[in-house]
Amino acid sequence: MNKLITIERHFVEEQKRHPQATGELTDLLYDVAFAAKLVRREVVRAGLADILGMTGTTNVQGEEVKKLDLFANERIINAIGQHGRFALMGSEENEGTIIPPKNETGRYVLLFDPLDGSSNIDVNVSVGTIFSIYRLTGDDPKKADINDCLQKGSRQVAAGYVIYGSSVMMVYTTGHGVHGFTYDPTIGEFLLSYENITTPARGKYYSINEGSTEQLNEPTIGFLDWLKKEDEATGRPYSTRYIGSLVADFHRNLLTGGVFIYPATKKHSEGKLRLMYEANPLAFICEQAGGRATNGSKRILDIEPADLHQRTPLYIGSREDVIVAEEFERGER
Ligand code: AHM
Ligand code: MG
């Protein structure tokens, strides 16, 4: 029989590999996994919202019931923030930084997107939570400020996502490979299901919102044409797969190989996705799995952030495919 490894045990085993580790990061990750369970509990009941009058109505206490993304946001802040392990937090749902309910001793910063792709909830399509952890730049948690949040992605100490899909999974990295855990609702635990995930060097899928073709720039159109051309050596044409839920599109491509593109367009010169909440954590995971993530010319993890909510074009996935996209961007193809 296979050995069952819970996510908690995996964190501890990982920690043992680093004798200098204090165990703090292990606790932080466990907090994130716990918060994910709370969000999952609500997401799986989302279809009952109208029947049970859970959203857009008033509950028995007379309070307005929150939309699921805002609910997830609050749950995560409270569940994770109550242990004092993070000095500061930032969420895609909050304009500025968030001071957690307790933060006196925290030496880390958490950035997260509580429920990405939330427009998909009403139609029962997968959504996700994305997170990213940085160490404070100084020693004093009381002096933590926005600059502790605005660090380059290459300074992340951990990142991951939870996908609420046909099953719920948490995938994370601390810079030593990428590991995936599937949630078993009967015992309330995330169990190791994918150890050391590696992504194929070349994919078979491409993912882009092609409905915006008229908005796309020449290099992107050139790349899309290339992906659709027949070529035995590279396995083209690739197939289109686009869910419109970043975590789900990324997760599929990570496992099967493929390239996800949310490029700059004529209307949105910086694309749509957020550097701090979406691109950086997924770029860290992608690179750890052997893939590549750029904005078309620069490595995502090397971008100096200036704003918590700044956007970036994103080319992420199988290494060889992202390299071709960059060649189109540089006008070399
Ligand atoms: P959100 O953070 O408001 O949910 O938006 C992000 C989502 C991603 O999950 C997805 O990749 C993208 O928006 C889809 O955008 P579009 O509908 O323009 O294709
Ligand atoms: Mg988002």
Side-chain angles (χ1 to χ4, degrees):
M1 199 180 111
N2 283 341
K3 218 165 52 175
L4 296 182
I5 299 178
T6 64
I7 202 164
E8 187 175 19
R9 163 123 177 262
H10 196 265
F11 292 154
V12 172
E13 293 298 323
E14 280 285 295
Q15 184 192 321
K16 282 192 199 148
R17 291 172 50 198
H18 310 284
Q20 75 288 2
T22 59
E24 260 178 301
L25 190 57
T26 303
D27 291 339
L28 301 178
L29 288 167
Y30 196 67
D31 282 352
V32 174
F34 175 67
K37 289 184 198 175
L38 297 179
V39 176
R40 182 208 77 93
R41 195 174 60 184
E42 301 308 317
V43 170
V44 297
R45 298 173 69 218
L48 297 169
D50 287 341
I51 305 170
L52 302 179
M54 276 152 53
T55 51
T57 58
T58 326
N59 68 14
V60 284
Q61 284 91 28
E63 301 156 339
E64 173 80 21
V65 181
K66 296 215 161 43
K67 283 185 62 197
L68 211 47
D69 42 4
L70 298 179
F71 174 88
N73 194 38
E74 271 185 20
R75 265 287 190 276
I76 293 173
I77 294 170
N78 290 330
I80 297 182
Q82 66 181 334
H83 294 134
R85 296 198 251 263
F86 287 102
L88 209 56
M89 291 173 162
S91 160
E92 203 193 87
E93 297 290 344
N94 293 60
E95 207 174 313
T97 53
I98 306 159
I99 300 174
K102 247 178 102 186
N103 73 337
E104 309 77 35
T105 52
R107 294 196 298 134
Y108 291 84
V109 167
L110 175 75
L111 301 182
F112 64 100
D113 183 350
L115 213 53
D116 184 72
S118 52
S119 64
N120 278 323
I121 286 195
D122 291 345
V123 288
N124 213 354
V125 166
S126 302
V127 290
T129 298
I130 313 174
F131 68 92
S132 175
I133 298 176
Y134 295 83
R135 208 167 272 122
L136 286 186
T137 56
D139 296 329
D140 186 355
K142 290 189 207 76
K143 293 200 179 126
D145 65 16
I146 178 98
N147 293 314
D148 292 294
C149 295
L150 294 178
Q151 300 188 56
K152 279 195 296 193
S154 58
R155 299 182 61 92
Q156 289 172 100
V157 294
Y161 58 83
V162 182
I163 176 168
Y164 310 98
S166 47
S167 58
V168 175
M169 274 191 75
M170 179 162 162
V171 175
Y172 87 101
T173 185
T174 55
H176 303 281
V178 179
H179 312 292
F181 300 80
T182 304
Y183 186 72
D184 182 341
T186 61
I187 54 169
E189 293 279 5
F190 283 104
L191 300 173
L192 182 63
S193 47
Y194 292 82
E195 196 162 26
N196 282 315
I197 297 173
T198 54
T199 196
R202 209 178 262 294
K204 52 182 181 178
Y205 297 132
Y206 73 96
S207 312
I208 182 173
N209 184 344
E210 240 175 329
S212 56
T213 296
E214 295 221 338
Q215 288 297 321
L216 298 179
N217 297 315
E218 279 309 311
T220 314
I221 294 172
F223 180 51
L224 293 181
D225 287 345
W226 181 86
L227 290 164
K228 294 174 203 168
K229 281 233 166 64
E230 282 192 13
D231 177 57
E232 221 171 292
T234 52
R236 285 177 291 147
Y238 289 5
S239 293
T240 318
R241 292 284 187 280
Y242 192 70
I243 297 170
S245 210
L246 178 61
V247 171
D249 279 312
F250 175 81
H251 182 70
R252 181 202 52 244
N253 290 0
L254 181 75
L255 297 183
T256 59
V259 56
F260 175 95
I261 315 150
Y262 210 112
T265 62
K266 288 176 189 143
K267 225 198 260 162
H268 302 289
S269 60
E270 295 304 320
K272 174 184 183 187
L273 300 173
R274 320 270 177 156
L275 176 64
M276 306 309 290
Y277 301 115
E278 292 161 333
N280 268 336
L282 298 187
F284 187 20
I285 292 169
C286 187
E287 284 195 5
Q288 280 294 313
R292 188 173 171 98
T294 74
N295 67 0
S297 58
K298 192 172 181 170
R299 183 180 176 226
I300 291 290
L301 298 182
D302 286 337
I303 298 174
E304 267 312 336
D307 185 278
L308 265 181
H309 292 273
Q310 94 185 49
R311 295 173 196 269
T312 177
L314 181 62
Y315 298 77
I316 191 166
S318 293
R319 198 178 57 243
E320 301 294 329
D321 298 325
V322 175
I323 287 174
V324 174
E326 289 165 36
E327 287 167 357
F328 274 100
E329 286 297 317
R330 286 198 298 269
E332 291 169 7
R333 281 181 184 255

